[in-house]
């Protein structure tokens, strides 16, 4: 019964996201019949990867009833350090760079994980603190200088410009391949490993998980470390996508967009339920909204309001659907 | 409470740190201990202070309000916009107060009625409220009425700035509300155990609504002081104030899990945060280093709070887990 309910809930929520997506596409298409052309599709496809990579980690965190608002600063710190390495060591291999970004992110995430799992600091407080602290470190490490576009190697920019599949002007970039890899790893972790099962158990009922002998602290620590690692990788992808890394703007406010994508994608903020395809749908929806806003002539000043509203809508949908299903099952039984 | 008659007061940590902060500040710069300078500098922390006073209620009730700075900036922008379009000061201020309470009540409604976690709701409204301010003013700034500006440069005898007086009076009133009234008892009660409170007949949903509305009210008060101090409003003002406010409350000995905290602790911790910021300012510590210090302080605050909690529960044999 219980899992039946959860399943019903998640299919309903994903259907809701798809309806929202179609509504946005339809609105933009009515305004401009060229909306679905290659140029806009490419913008949407380029918008998704960063969001999806960070979103996978954020989903794992939210599944355990946690939250990580420091991901934007983690992205910025990993991005600026790897950017400076590229600047100072011209021949550095881009994959080594990505690996370093991942490692830096993992360390920062592990720090969050340590504060939360062992020192018992609530996730929102711990990561709010490191949101500031990591951003401060970005300025300290870079001395306020940005990594300029001519310091980013061509091989890295190539990840954005080219990709394995090109159909009629639409490019599936290498960035998107990174996102797919991150999604597959996350899906495998959740579906095929014991840690994945533990993540769901902790989110569904932390006390029961502890009593059942699940290593709650260890799993929590791992989850934040993975979240940080993905954010660190995204920092390097950011350098590829935008061609420069500015200490003030790289990743600033990105946590909000990521959390919006994850919760509109059906991940429950109370933990314990959420899927990789759902989050990918959420990323697609936010990417489409972003490009549609420009088409609809709504300028950038609206962005913050829109992302905030998306989170609110998702929350209200969740609580509404839950109540409705609760009533249904009461009638049924 | 305690068999040995000795209780570790939560206010002790900020009180001790405050003394250290003063000593460090005085060693860093000879200008630091100038009372006129300290009093003048204090006015810019009054806004954070008002937010922190209300945040004490929110945190004691077991919740968090991340949207305080956004409520402040939205109210500040709306008020300045109204004044610019010809509204008189008193009516604009009345709208500001009403708007603040409504914004806070929206948070409270979503949290108490829709039963959503406060950190997600206020994370969303943090974006929504500042987003509305951004849409309202865009990149422009709105000017306040000439007579309304400059409250921070007016003094009571003895060089005491008016905003500081407003803060201290508010702290006194809210201190009585939290520690001496039934409402205050209820706030502590739902922060300690919401389910138990509900079953003992406490209107938990209404209390939560009230707590978040109070947070909106204080944000409106902070907005008016900020408008008056700066003379203009912009959507990107009051950035990150929620972090300072939360830091002050936790540093003041409140438990992030709810049920413990005091207005006196928050006031002491606010002075500590102000002294640190002013001290770092006169010592020319860069803004980015200040970010790291305040962020770390927040973490240390929670850690020391947990430590104190563990110490005092270790002294009570019955509280063994």
């Amino acid at each position: 019964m219980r899992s039946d309910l959860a399943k019903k809930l998640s299919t309903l929520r994903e259907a809701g996201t798809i309806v929202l997506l179609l509504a946005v596409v339809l609105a933009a298409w009515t305004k401009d019949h060229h909306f679905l052309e290659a140029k806009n599709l490419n913008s949407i496809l380029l918008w998704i990867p960063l969001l999806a990579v960070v979103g996978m980690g954020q989903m794992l965190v939210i599944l355990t009833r946690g939250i990580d608002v420091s991901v934007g600063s983690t992205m910025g710190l990993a991005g600026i350090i790897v950017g400076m390495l590229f600047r100072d060591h011209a021949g550095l291999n881009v994959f080594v760079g990505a690996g370093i970004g991942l490692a830096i992110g993992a360390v920062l995430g592990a720090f969050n994980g340590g504060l939360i799992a062992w020192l018992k600091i609530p996730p929102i407080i711990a990561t709010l603190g490191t949101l500031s602290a990591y951003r401060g470190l970005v300025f300290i490490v870079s001395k306020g200088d940005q990594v300029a576009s001519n310091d980013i190697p061509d091989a890295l920019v190539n990840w954005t410009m080219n990709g394995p599949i090109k159909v009629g002007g639409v490019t599936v970039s290498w960035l998107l391949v990174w996102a797919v890899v991150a999604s597959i790893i996350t899906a495998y972790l959740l579906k095929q490993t014991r840690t994945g099962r533990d993540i769901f158990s902790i989110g569904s009922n932390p006390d029961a998980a502890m009593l059942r002998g699940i290593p709650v602290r260890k799993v929590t620590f791992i989850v934040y470390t993975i979240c940080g690692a993905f954010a660190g990788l995204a920092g390097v992808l950011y350098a590829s996508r935008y061609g420069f890394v500015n200490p003030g703007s790289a990743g600033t406010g990105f946590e909000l967009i990521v959390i919006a994508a994850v919760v509109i994608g059906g991940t429950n903020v109370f933990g314990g339920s959420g899927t990789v395809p759902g989050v990918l749908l959420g990323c697609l929806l936010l990417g489409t909204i972003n490009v549609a806003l420009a088409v609809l002539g709504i300028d950038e000043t609206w962005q913050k309001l829109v992302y905030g509203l998306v989170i609110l809508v998702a929350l209200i949908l969740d609580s509404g659907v839950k109540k409705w299903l609760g009533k249904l099952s009461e009638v049924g039984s | 409470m305690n068999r040995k008659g000795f209780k570790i007061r939560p206010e002790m940590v900020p009180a001790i740190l405050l003394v250290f902060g003063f000593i460090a500040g005085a060693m860093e710069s000879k200008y630091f201990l100038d009372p006129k300078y300290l009093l003048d500098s204090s006015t810019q922390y009054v806004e954070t202070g008002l937010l922190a006073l209300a945040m004490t209620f929110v945190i004691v009730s077991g919740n968090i309000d991340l949207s305080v700075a956004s409520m402040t900036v939205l109210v500040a922008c709306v008020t300045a916009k109204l004044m610019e379009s010809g509204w008189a000061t008193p009516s604009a201020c009345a709208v500001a107060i009403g708007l603040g309470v409504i914004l806070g009540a929206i948070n409270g409604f979503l949290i108490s009625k829709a039963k959503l976690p406060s950190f997600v709701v206020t994370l969303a409204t943090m974006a929504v409220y500042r987003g509305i301010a951004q849409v309202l003013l865009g990149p422009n700034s709105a000017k306040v009425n000439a007579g309304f500006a400059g409250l921070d440069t007016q003094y009571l005898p003895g060089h005491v700035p008016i905003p500081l007086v407003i803060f201290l009076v508010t702290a006194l009133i809210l201190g009585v509300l939290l520690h001496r009234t039934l409402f205050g008892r209820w706030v502590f009660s739902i922060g300690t155990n919401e389910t138990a409170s509900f079953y003992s007949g406490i209107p938990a949903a209404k209390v939560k609504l009230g707590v978040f509305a109070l947070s909106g009210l204080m944000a409106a008060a902070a907005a008016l002081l900020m408008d008056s101090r700066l003379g203009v409003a912009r959507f990107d003002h009051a950035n990150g104030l929620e972090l300072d406010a939360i830091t002050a409350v936790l540093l003041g000995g409140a438990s992030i899990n709810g049920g413990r905290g005091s207005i006196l602790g928050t006031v002491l911790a606010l002075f500590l945060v102000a002294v640190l910021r002013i001290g770092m300012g006169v010592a020319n510590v860069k803004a980015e280093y200040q970010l790291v210090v305040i962020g770390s302080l927040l973490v240390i605050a929670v850690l020391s709070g947990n430590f104190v909690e563990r110490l005092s529960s270790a002294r009570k044999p019955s509280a063994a887990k």
Side-chain angles (χ1 to χ4, degrees):
Chain A
M1 189 64 222
R2 173 90 184 86
S3 70
D4 217 33
L5 195 77
K7 201 173 259 175
K8 225 190 270 175
L9 188 77
S10 81
T11 42
L12 254 178
R13 281 289 282 107
E14 274 159 31
T17 315
I18 293 174
V19 170
L20 265 174
L21 180 63
L22 291 177
V24 172
V25 171
L26 195 68
W29 185 78
T30 328
K31 173 94 182 178
D32 178 5
H33 287 346
H34 299 295
F35 180 65
L36 288 176
E37 280 181 1
K39 182 176 142 263
N40 284 334
L41 290 183
N42 275 330
S43 318
I44 295 174
L45 286 183
L46 275 183
W47 221 83
I48 295 173
L50 287 177
L51 201 51
V53 169
V54 186
M56 286 305 139
Q58 187 72 251
M59 176 183 72
L60 293 178
V61 167
I62 293 181
L63 280 177
T64 64
R65 280 195 194 180
I67 196 153
D68 186 348
V69 291
S70 74
V71 285
S73 300
T74 303
M75 255 175 89
L77 188 50
I80 202 98
I81 293 176
V82 174
M84 288 166 69
L85 284 176
F86 281 133
R87 183 184 65 199
D88 302 339
H89 307 273
L92 188 68
N93 183 294
V94 283
F95 286 96
V96 175
I100 295 173
L102 193 87
I104 294 169
V107 171
L108 299 176
F111 186 71
N112 285 336
L115 291 176
I116 293 159
W118 278 285
L119 298 177
K120 299 270 167 232
I121 300 180
I124 183 70
I125 298 299
T127 58
L128 202 63
T130 54
L131 163 82
S132 293
Y134 293 168
R135 179 62 57 185
L137 284 178
V138 172
F139 282 97
I140 291 167
V141 167
S142 66
K143 301 191 178 70
D145 299 330
Q146 75 168 16
V147 177
S149 56
N150 51 358
D151 293 324
I152 305 287
D154 293 338
L156 190 63
V157 178
N158 191 40
W159 286 357
T160 304
M161 308 308 275
N162 291 303
I165 307 170
K166 282 191 186 186
V167 188
V170 178
T171 309
V172 174
S173 63
W174 290 110
L175 286 188
L176 207 57
V177 174
W178 277 107
V180 171
V181 171
S183 308
I184 291 173
I185 293 174
T186 310
Y188 176 82
L189 176 77
L190 285 178
K191 292 280 177 195
Q192 305 291 333
T193 68
R194 165 174 275 187
T195 307
R197 300 311 310 158
D198 292 350
I199 288 172
F200 281 109
S201 308
I202 293 171
S204 304
N205 191 336
D207 297 335
M210 185 77 96
L211 292 177
R212 264 174 58 196
I214 289 169
V216 174
R217 289 177 177 182
K218 197 179 115 197
V219 173
T220 307
F221 178 75
I222 291 174
V223 160
Y224 284 90
T225 307
I226 296 175
C227 183
F230 279 158
L233 173 64
V236 182
L237 302 185
Y238 178 96
S240 165
R241 168 80 177 80
Y242 294 96
F244 67 94
V245 187
N246 180 288
S249 64
T252 302
F254 199 65
E255 60 280 354
L256 184 73
I257 314 175
V258 170
I259 293 167
V262 171
V263 297
I264 197 72
T267 309
N268 193 319
V269 288
F270 289 103
S273 95
T275 62
V276 170
V279 172
L280 289 177
L281 258 177
C283 296
L284 180 61
L285 176 64
L286 277 185
T288 311
I289 288 178
N290 193 269
V291 176
L293 284 182
V295 170
L296 291 171
I298 299 169
D299 65 68
E300 266 179 24
T301 51
W302 284 79
Q303 278 188 5
K304 197 161 210 157
L305 177 56
V306 170
Y307 298 137
L309 283 177
V310 166
I311 301 183
L312 271 189
V313 166
L315 291 178
I316 293 167
L317 269 181
D318 268 348
S319 108
V321 168
K322 207 193 221 162
K323 251 181 214 163
W324 186 62
L325 280 179
K327 267 183 200 151
L328 271 191
S329 65
E330 264 169 38
V331 173
S333 63
Chain B
M1 256 311 180
N2 199 298
R3 286 180 311 163
K4 289 179 184 164
F6 173 73
K7 194 177 156 208
I8 301 167
R9 302 273 314 172
E11 296 93 354
M12 263 170 56
V13 177
I16 294 166
L17 285 176
L18 187 59
V19 174
F20 278 114
F22 261 105
I23 295 170
M27 277 161 56
E28 198 62 56
S29 162
K30 62 179 185 259
Y31 303 108
F32 179 79
L33 275 186
D34 178 10
K36 263 190 181 165
Y37 176 74
L38 278 179
L39 282 171
D40 278 337
S41 307
S42 74
T43 56
Q44 51 180 313
Y45 298 97
V46 165
E47 292 133 31
T48 316
L50 292 174
L51 300 182
L53 291 176
M55 188 74 78
T56 312
F57 283 75
V58 174
I59 289 181
V60 166
S61 80
N63 291 286
I64 195 139
D65 189 349
L66 301 170
S67 72
V68 285
S70 297
M71 291 195 284
T72 304
V73 86
L74 179 54
V75 172
C77 286
V78 169
T79 313
K81 187 90 179 166
L82 286 177
M83 287 183 176
E84 226 181 29
S85 55
W87 283 50
T89 304
S91 44
C93 290
V95 170
I97 299 291
L99 179 64
V101 173
I102 291 171
L103 294 178
I106 292 175
N107 284 336
F109 180 81
L110 286 170
I111 292 159
S112 62
K113 291 288 175 200
K115 299 208 166 46
L116 292 162
S118 56
F119 74 88
V120 203
V121 169
T122 55
L123 191 71
T125 54
M126 170 167 100
V128 170
Y129 295 160
R130 196 179 286 273
I132 297 174
Q134 191 174 4
V135 168
L136 189 71
L137 288 188
N140 308 314
S141 51
K143 259 183 128 166
V144 303
N145 290 344
F148 183 62
L151 189 65
D152 60 310
T153 52
Q154 290 171 27
Y155 299 93
L156 286 189
H159 203 78
V160 184
I162 298 279
L164 188 62
V165 177
I166 294 177
F167 168 72
L168 292 173
V169 170
T170 314
L172 195 66
I173 295 171
L174 291 187
V176 169
L177 181 64
L178 184 61
H179 299 292
R180 292 282 179 277
T181 67
L182 182 61
F183 178 77
R185 299 307 311 162
W186 284 348
V187 173
F188 274 99
S189 173
I190 64 171
T192 310
N193 188 336
E194 192 177 339
T195 320
S197 315
F198 179 76
Y199 285 117
S200 40
I202 292 171
K206 275 187 196 153
V207 174
K208 265 202 257 183
L209 192 65
V211 163
F212 278 92
L214 176 70
S215 186
L217 175 68
M218 285 299 116
L224 292 178
L225 286 179
M226 191 175 74
D227 268 349
S228 170
R229 179 169 65 87
L230 299 173
V232 291
R234 280 177 56 88
F235 83 90
D236 54 359
H237 281 158
N239 221 341
L241 282 194
E242 68 279 352
L243 184 70
D244 283 18
I246 294 170
T247 305
V249 174
L250 297 180
L251 206 53
S255 163
I256 187 61
N257 304 313
R260 182 167 57 88
S262 78
I263 293 288
L264 176 64
T266 300
V267 171
L268 284 175
L270 272 167
F271 281 117
L272 174 63
V273 171
V275 161
L276 276 178
R277 287 263 189 185
I278 296 170
M280 288 193 286
V282 293
N284 284 324
V285 176
K286 282 194 197 142
E288 47 264 34
Y289 286 86
Q290 294 193 17
L291 262 186
V292 178
V293 171
I294 298 294
S296 315
L297 200 61
L298 174 62
V299 171
I300 294 169
V302 185
L303 284 182
S304 67
N306 284 359
F307 182 67
V308 169
E309 210 160 56
R310 210 170 299 165
L311 259 186
S312 37
S313 68
R315 287 162 174 273
K316 281 182 285 181
S318 59
K321 280 192 181 166

